[in-house]
Amino acid sequence: MRITKYTHACVRLEHEGRVLVIDPGTWSEPRALTGADAVLVTHEHADHVDVLRLAGLGVPVHAPADADIAGLRVTGVSSGEEFTAAGFRVRAVGGRHAFIYGGQPDCPNLGFVIDEAVYHPGDSLHVPEQPIETLLVPAQGSWMRTAEAIDFVKAVAPRRAFAIHDAQINDRGLSSVNGWLAQETDHGYRYLAPGESL
């Protein structure tokens, strides 16, 4: 499976000509959706879902069943549900967005485990029950601290981990976060710049 990271939380998965895109928000590059067969949206915030772009795309979009995504037709998904998107096996896990301050925001957020190997948690630090090969770890958010990201990687214990949710960090801050994650986790952490694949 080829994994390409785009700006912020957007990730593109490709395998045998099939393309699945997760969280193409307003900050991600339009080219992330080129040739997409299906899209997964973890939650309703604009940095994870570009409604106008997706409405015109005409491919299946899967999102939390209780998400408020006006102007976009989606297939509602619930935690624990398993389904196929673009030929990939998907399991929805978790259920709520991490709290930012004072209990806000409290919106639905599902993480997605793809082909029992890749895990995109959206804006949560939900630890799935099954082993994870590749963890896409949020690097920064108004809802988290770096220590929480480190603890999340340790709790999931993936074979390798890559940062997502990083568009609000300048180069100096990103270097610091990457340094801490690489130093404090023993799980093959590596930073992928937007557009970089593995």
Side-chain angles (χ1 to χ4, degrees), residues 97-106 143:
H97 189 289
F99 293 128
I100 290 178
Y101 178 78
Q104 297 299 321
D106 186 24
W143 49 272

Side-chain angles (χ1 to χ4, degrees), residues 55-103:
L57 191 61
V59 302
V61 176
H62 302 266
D66 296 332
D68 182 14
I69 306 176
L72 181 63
R73 198 167 117 197
V74 303
T75 299
V77 179
S78 299
S79 185
E81 187 173 338
E82 296 184 27
F83 59 98
T84 301
F88 293 87
R89 290 175 293 121
V90 181
R91 176 180 295 120
V93 299
R96 303 305 297 179
H97 189 289
F99 293 128
I100 290 178
Y101 178 78

